[in-house]
Amino acid sequence: MLKKFFGEIGRYFLLMGKVFSRPEKMRIYRRRVMVEMEAIGLGSIVITAIISVFIGAVVTLQMAINLDEGFIPQSLIGFATRETMILEFSSTVVALILAGKVGSSIASEIGTMRITEQIDALELMGVNSASYLILPKIVAGVFFFPFLCIMSILIGTAGGYMISAVTGVVMPGDFLEGLHLDFNTWSITYTLIKMAVFAFIITSVSSFYGYWARGNSLEVARSSTRAVVASSITVLVFNLILTQWLLI
Amino acid sequence: MIRAENIVKSFDGRRVLDDVSVTFEQGKTNLIIGRSGSGKTVLMKCLVGLMPTDGGEVWYGDTCFSRLDFRQVKAVRQEMGMIFQGGALLDSSTVEENVRLPLDLFTDRSEADKRDRVDFCLERVALTDANRLYPSELSGGMIKRVAIARAIVMNPRFLFCDEPNSGLDPITSGVIDRLIAEITREYDITTVINTHDMNSVLEIGDKVVFLHEGRKWWEGSRHDIMTADNPELGDFVFASPMARRTRQPK
């Protein structure tokens, strides 16, 4: 079990070595990065926006219910919503959601290419298939996911503001005041660093499981599941490490 | 010319290729035949380096392919073309993008030059007006034609075809066979074809190698195969009732 685990880690780093070797033609890779940004990034905007607006609204409601004491200023509800969105939700939770959506898509795409011999065909042409297929996905993810994170923060807090305006659980003015309260710009830097690291983990781990898929469509499905589980766990572990390292 | 010397390959202790030595000649269509599981595909994958061998060597002309490093293997592979069983076209790319990919990655030709070369190769396989189609929009025969066009776009010296007729009707199979044979002679390349289609053997088999239980059992030409005195080969060649009737004296 332990031998298999370390064996997998070794194979992952060997694959990454192949991925980051010198690309054949930068121009082709740049074009592929754009294509991947559209597939991985633009394709995730809607789901990220929907989840963010609802979570922002729910966090505001929960805060309003739990801080319903006369001595606690209502502006703290806006403050708490903002901090929740910035520090955890828009990076870690969005990353977990993207691990499911993007991770399974990457693993099944590359896995299908493997079992239909498309990867062998690339190798036969003399193409470094690992670099050609995986590097553009990693670059696209690392550059685009932080934008999704910023978008999620903005939409989530907007969701909180909307629910406060609609239900009146907190006065919108107090909510806005809370959003401006004790703002620390390092929180944004911290969450963007986290998101870039999570993007690398999701795209590379999912690609790894897809790249080494063997057999038939059932195996591709299993690889896809393994990719989601492994990248989600790795994201959670690195969330802890990065929080300890960057915030404490 | 490609030379395989004493190739050995095992999976989980089961020997799939057992001391196979064979020479594939330049300018000829060299066919590897044998029953399913006889080791044809494994031999081809060992020849092109997609599978490492457990023993033996593969020579491309005077170059020992088995002793090359990663970069040298890449260089030799740019002289190879391969047609896979299912075509192996990139699903997310159009016909044109599939064919021009090696040109994009390994040449500094101008856009117009690349377009001309792609059009030439597609015309050579009698496939025009399909440049913008995706593989999912093509028939089985068209996929094989695109795969051939992609395989010849870099003017390869070595062409490998893994069951190029699988899934095709007899007429389309004949067209694909003749196309491969024509290209082999036209460009004087070394072509190696895996097949168990006897029509292909009789039509284009300049040299035929019969594998049985992982060993080279027989080799000769299509002219010798019908009269060869080899029981296992006979069972394979005359497996169908129609073929058996041609064998039995009236």
Side-chain angles (χ1 to χ4, degrees):
Chain A
M1 177 86 174
L2 210 60
K3 193 180 163 192
K4 196 182 166 200
F5 173 72
F6 284 113
E8 292 251 304
I9 290 178
R11 285 207 307 162
Y12 169 81
F13 281 108
L14 283 176
L15 181 68
M16 287 304 113
K18 222 176 145 194
V19 168
F20 288 100
S21 59
R22 196 164 161 260
E24 275 90 9
K25 275 256 175 80
M26 279 310 285
R27 192 165 47 83
I28 305 294
Y29 277 67
R30 275 199 293 272
R31 204 185 305 156
R32 283 192 50 76
V33 167
M34 292 301 155
V35 172
E36 295 298 344
M37 276 198 182
E38 192 184 338
I40 293 174
L42 292 179
S44 305
I45 284 179
V46 175
I47 183 85
T48 307
I50 291 172
I51 292 165
S52 302
V53 74
F54 279 99
I55 294 289
V58 170
V59 167
T60 303
L61 285 177
Q62 300 266 22
M63 291 295 166
I65 293 162
N66 288 296
L67 300 179
D68 193 17
E69 295 281 340
F71 296 109
I72 299 173
Q74 291 249 301
S75 59
L76 277 186
I77 296 168
F79 170 80
T81 304
R82 185 197 76 201
E83 290 298 293
T84 308
M85 295 306 294
I86 292 176
L87 293 174
E88 274 309 300
F89 178 79
S90 296
S91 49
T92 312
V93 180
V94 167
L96 289 173
I97 291 158
L98 292 175
K101 184 192 176 287
V102 175
S104 64
S105 150
I106 289 175
S108 47
E109 179 194 333
I110 297 180
T112 305
M113 291 184 79
R114 167 64 75 191
I115 64 162
T116 55
E117 298 182 311
Q118 292 176 49
I119 291 179
D120 287 346
L122 285 171
E123 287 288 330
L124 242 292
M125 284 179 218
V127 179
N128 177 350
S129 63
S131 177
Y132 181 77
L133 295 173
I134 300 172
L135 187 59
K137 291 183 196 302
I138 293 177
V139 174
V142 169
F143 276 94
F144 208 96
F145 279 22
F147 285 105
L148 290 177
C149 179
I150 291 170
M151 189 194 80
S152 167
I153 294 168
L154 295 175
I155 293 178
T157 46
Y161 178 79
M162 274 191 299
I163 203 72
S164 64
V166 170
T167 61
V169 289
V170 51
M171 297 304 290
D174 288 341
F175 186 87
L176 285 178
E177 189 192 328
L179 289 185
H180 291 99
L181 194 70
D182 196 21
F183 183 68
N184 181 0
T185 49
W186 173 246
S187 308
I188 299 286
T189 312
Y190 154 77
T191 205
L192 291 181
I193 291 172
K194 272 207 314 187
M195 195 53 156
V197 172
F198 295 161
F200 179 84
I201 290 168
I202 292 166
T203 48
S204 63
V205 170
S206 306
S207 298
F208 167 75
Y209 280 99
Y211 195 81
W212 292 118
R214 285 282 181 273
N216 51 27
S217 54
L218 274 178
E219 281 302 315
V220 173
R222 282 193 196 112
S223 294
S224 179
T225 309
R226 276 199 291 267
V228 174
V229 172
S231 46
S232 300
I233 292 171
T234 316
V235 161
L236 291 172
V237 170
F238 272 81
N239 185 34
L240 187 67
I241 293 169
L242 289 171
T243 304
Q244 170 72 31
W245 183 37
L246 296 171
L247 283 190
I248 310 289
Chain B
M1 188 188 71
I2 304 168
R3 208 167 71 244
E5 288 180 355
N6 312 106
I7 301 294
V8 176
K9 179 73 187 170
S10 303
F11 292 106
D12 301 324
R14 193 174 69 87
R15 196 160 270 207
V16 178
L17 291 178
D18 191 3
D19 202 24
V20 176
S21 296
V22 61
T23 301
F24 301 106
E25 292 163 31
Q26 187 175 341
K28 289 186 176 177
T29 47
N30 302 272
L31 272 63
I32 306 171
I33 61 170
R35 294 176 62 177
S36 300
S38 59
K40 302 189 296 292
T41 300
V42 174
L43 176 59
M44 185 169 275
K45 288 194 171 175
C46 289
L47 289 176
V48 299
L50 286 176
M51 260 179 204
T53 57
D54 296 337
E57 286 178 342
V58 178
W59 290 78
Y60 283 80
D62 297 327
T63 308
C64 181
F65 188 64
S66 315
R67 288 187 211 150
L68 302 180
D69 64 23
F70 176 66
R71 271 177 213 291
Q72 291 166 319
V73 165
K74 259 179 87 169
V76 174
R77 277 188 175 158
Q78 283 167 35
E79 297 188 322
M80 294 179 191
M82 183 155 177
I83 301 154
F84 287 85
Q85 203 169 343
L89 301 181
L90 302 181
D91 290 332
S92 55
S93 304
T94 62
V95 166
E96 184 175 321
E97 288 163 352
N98 263 289
V99 178
R100 69 178 278 165
L101 181 63
L103 297 173
D104 281 338
L105 286 169
F106 302 116
T107 69
D108 292 316
R109 293 183 186 205
S110 67
E111 279 299 304
D113 228 23
K114 284 186 219 169
R115 242 192 328 268
D116 286 349
R117 178 68 187 155
V118 170
D119 288 342
F120 171 80
C121 291
L122 287 172
E123 269 171 38
R124 184 66 193 81
V125 297
L127 200 66
T128 47
D129 301 328
N131 294 37
R132 299 201 180 284
L133 297 178
Y134 283 88
S136 59
E137 299 170 301
L138 303 176
S139 68
M142 287 165 92
I143 286 175
K144 293 286 161 71
R145 284 165 197 256
V146 178
I148 296 172
R150 183 176 68 180
I152 62 170
V153 75
M154 294 283 280
N155 280 323
R157 288 172 57 205
F158 312 102
L159 181 65
F160 297 89
C161 314
D162 188 14
E163 304 202 11
N165 299 332
S166 68
L168 300 181
D169 66 83
I171 293 171
T172 313
S173 291
V175 172
I176 296 293
D177 280 342
R178 283 189 289 278
L179 190 57
I180 293 170
E182 280 168 26
I183 287 167
T184 301
R185 281 179 194 94
E186 211 172 301
Y187 300 107
D188 194 29
I189 53 185
T190 309
T191 298
V192 182
I193 304 173
N194 264 353
T195 187
H196 38 58
D197 182 352
M198 281 311 295
N199 292 325
S200 301
V201 174
L202 296 176
E203 188 155 3
I204 61 165
D206 294 332
K207 175 169 184 173
V208 183
V209 176
F210 175 62
L211 288 188
H212 181 67
E213 292 175 351
R215 290 184 183 176
K216 186 177 81 177
W217 214 254
W218 180 87
E219 74 177 286
S221 76
R222 65 176 180 272
H223 307 295
D224 313 325
I225 202 164
M226 302 300 275
T227 53
D229 184 21
N230 185 309
E232 286 80 13
L233 178 66
D235 289 346
F236 178 79
V237 172
F238 299 101
S240 74
M242 190 189 285
R244 271 199 299 274
R245 275 200 291 277
T246 63
R247 188 191 207 182
Q248 285 162 359
K250 285 181 184 173

